[in-house]
Amino acid sequence: MSTGLKKSASNGYEKPIAFEEQQQKINEVKKLVGPLPDKLSVYCSDASIQRHLRARNWNVKKATKMLKETLKWRSDYKPEEIRWEDIAHEAETGKIYRSNYFDKHGRAVLVMRPSCQNSKSTKGQIKYLVYCMENAILNLPPDQEQMVWLIDFHGFNMSHISVKVTKETAHVLQDHYPERLGVAILYNAPKFFEPFFAVVKPFLEPKTYKKVKFVYSDDNNTKKIMEDLFNMDQLESAFGGKDNSGFDINKYAERMREDDKKMPTFWARINPPSEVPRAALANAQCLNSINPGSDSDASSSHGAESDDIRETRVSNGT
C-alpha cells in the first residue's frame, strides 16, 4: 500500500499515511478549491495537490490556503507563458541554466553561478528563475517531480550578496513550487558566506533548510555527496566531474527555444480545448479577490512547514 508522511505532534517525526487517506484529503482540497479554467485545472492535478498537502503536513485547510495563493499567483504572473526571448538577456552569462543531465534519481539539475550575476533588477532575476523552474518541470521524467539546485560559488564575493533577491527567491520557491526541490548543493561557499546564510536562514522553512548541503572540493566526506548524487562522467568539472564542455549560450538558447514550443502542449495535456464551464470562470475571477485564509486557518495553527526549496531527500531521493 502506498503511504505518505504525516507529522506526529507527540514525537515530531512523521508517520505513514495510507493511500486511501491521501486520496480523501486530495478530494477535500479539490472540493474547497472548486472548478477552475483549463490551465489552472491542469495545475491542480492530484500530484500537485498532494505536493501542497505534503508541504503542509497533510493539513487540508493549510494546504488549501497555500494552493489558492499559488493559483492566484499563477493567474496573475502567468509563469507558463514566459518565453526565452523574454528573459534571454538574463541568461547570457550562464548564471542559471538547466543542465543536459539528471542526477541518479532522475531529477532535473539547475546549475547556478551567483558570481555571474549580470542584472540589478530583482524583478528580472526572479522572472528568469521562474522560467528556469518551469523549464525544469517541463523536462522531468514521468516518475519524478523534483529537481536539484547545484550552486557554484567560484568567483563569489560580497558584491554578489543580495538579501532582497534571496528572500524573494525563497518566497517563490517555497510558496509557489512546493515539494519541487530535492536538494540544494552549495559548492565551495566561502567562509564570509556563512554569516549571510545565518541572516537568510529565517526566510527558509525547516524542511527547506534541511535540504541545503554545503559541499567542499577539498573535503572527501562531503565529496561523497556528489558521487552519490551524480554520474561523475556527466558532471561538470567545476563540481568535481569529468565534463569540460562548459556553458555555451548559443547552444543553450537553441535548447530553450525548442522547449518553449512544447510548453503549450504541456499545459493542455489533460484537458483538451473546450468551453470553460461558467462556474469555473466565476471561480477564476474570484481568485483576484480571494482571502486565502478564509477557509483555511480558522481551526489550524501556524506551525506547519512547507518547502519547495521543497522536497526529495538528499542522497536517497525519498
Side-chain angles (χ1 to χ4, degrees):
M1 178 180 293
S2 174
T3 59
L5 291 175
K6 187 175 183 180
K7 191 168 184 180
S8 166
S10 61
N11 58 21
Y13 291 94
E14 294 183 330
K15 294 181 178 180
I17 173 171
F19 173 79
E20 292 80 5
E21 187 179 354
Q22 292 182 39
Q23 194 61 51
Q24 180 183 4
K25 289 178 178 291
I26 289 170
N27 291 337
E28 289 178 32
V29 172
K30 285 182 178 179
K31 184 176 180 180
L32 289 169
V33 171
L36 295 164
D38 283 346
K39 284 184 181 179
L40 295 182
S41 177
V42 170
Y43 180 80
C44 283
S45 64
D46 283 10
S48 178
I49 294 173
Q50 188 187 71
R51 285 193 296 273
H52 286 77
L53 282 163
R54 291 201 307 267
R56 291 295 181 252
N57 292 317
W58 296 93
N59 183 303
V60 169
K61 292 186 177 182
K62 291 181 179 180
T64 302
K65 176 184 177 182
M66 183 186 197
L67 180 56
K68 284 185 175 182
E69 288 171 344
T70 292
L71 289 171
K72 185 179 186 306
W73 176 78
R74 294 192 72 90
S75 180
D76 294 340
Y77 201 85
K78 296 179 173 52
E80 77 282 356
E81 295 183 8
I82 302 172
R83 296 293 180 262
W84 174 254
E85 304 306 331
D86 300 326
I87 47 76
H89 58 288
E90 291 280 350
E92 290 174 351
T93 60
K95 64 183 179 185
I96 308 178
Y97 61 90
R98 180 178 61 81
S99 71
N100 57 7
Y101 58 87
F102 297 84
D103 82 342
K104 290 182 178 179
H105 305 292
R107 297 178 292 195
V109 178
L110 288 184
V111 175
M112 302 181 176
R113 293 193 162 93
S115 65
C116 294
Q117 182 56 256
N118 62 338
S119 169
K120 294 183 179 180
S121 168
T122 299
K123 182 179 179 180
Q125 292 175 49
I126 295 302
K127 186 174 184 178
Y128 182 47
L129 172 67
V130 168
Y131 175 83
C132 292
M133 293 290 293
E134 295 286 319
N135 180 267
I137 293 167
L138 172 72
N139 285 279
L140 286 172
D143 60 345
Q144 183 54 262
E145 59 181 6
Q146 295 184 325
M147 65 189 73
V148 175
W149 283 13
L150 194 48
I151 306 172
D152 179 12
F153 278 86
H154 177 75
F156 185 84
N157 59 50
M158 294 292 289
S159 69
H160 300 123
I161 289 178
S162 171
V163 174
K164 182 178 180 180
V165 172
T166 302
K167 184 177 180 180
E168 186 63 20
T169 297
H171 163 64
V172 169
L173 188 65
Q174 294 179 143
D175 293 345
H176 301 315
Y177 292 93
E179 299 299 329
R180 284 299 191 182
L181 185 75
V183 59
I185 301 292
L186 277 60
Y187 195 82
N188 284 339
K191 288 293 183 182
F192 65 79
F193 181 77
E194 294 177 8
F196 170 72
F197 191 69
V199 171
V200 302
K201 182 180 175 181
F203 305 147
L204 305 180
E205 295 172 0
K207 289 172 69 177
T208 296
Y209 177 74
K210 290 177 182 177
K211 293 178 182 180
V212 177
K213 306 295 176 184
F214 286 82
V215 175
Y216 298 93
S217 57
D218 59 353
D219 186 332
N220 289 328
N221 291 325
T222 54
K223 274 201 302 186
K224 187 175 185 301
I225 294 177
M226 305 300 285
E227 294 170 353
D228 289 344
L229 282 174
F230 301 104
N231 180 331
M232 301 306 283
D233 289 332
Q234 297 177 332
L235 186 67
E236 292 106 312
S237 57
F239 299 106
K242 298 179 181 179
D243 182 4
N244 293 305
S245 58
F247 175 76
D248 185 319
I249 183 60
N250 295 318
K251 291 181 179 178
Y252 190 68
E254 184 178 346
R255 282 174 59 200
M256 295 301 102
R257 290 189 182 102
E258 288 302 310
D259 281 351
D260 284 354
K261 296 175 184 178
K262 305 173 189 175
M263 192 64 78
T265 303
F266 181 78
W267 282 101
R269 68 193 187 281
I270 295 177
N271 296 328
S274 62
E275 183 178 353
V276 178
R278 195 171 295 178
L281 287 173
N283 198 41
Q285 291 169 355
C286 286
L287 288 173
N288 291 324
S289 58
I290 205 166
N291 176 2
S294 61
D295 62 0
S296 53
D297 282 343
S299 61
S300 59
S301 63
H302 285 292
E305 304 139 2
S306 159
D307 151 278
D308 212 341
I309 273 184
R310 270 178 223 289
E311 180 183 48
T312 337
R313 310 77 188 171
V314 55
S315 55
N316 60 9
T318 60

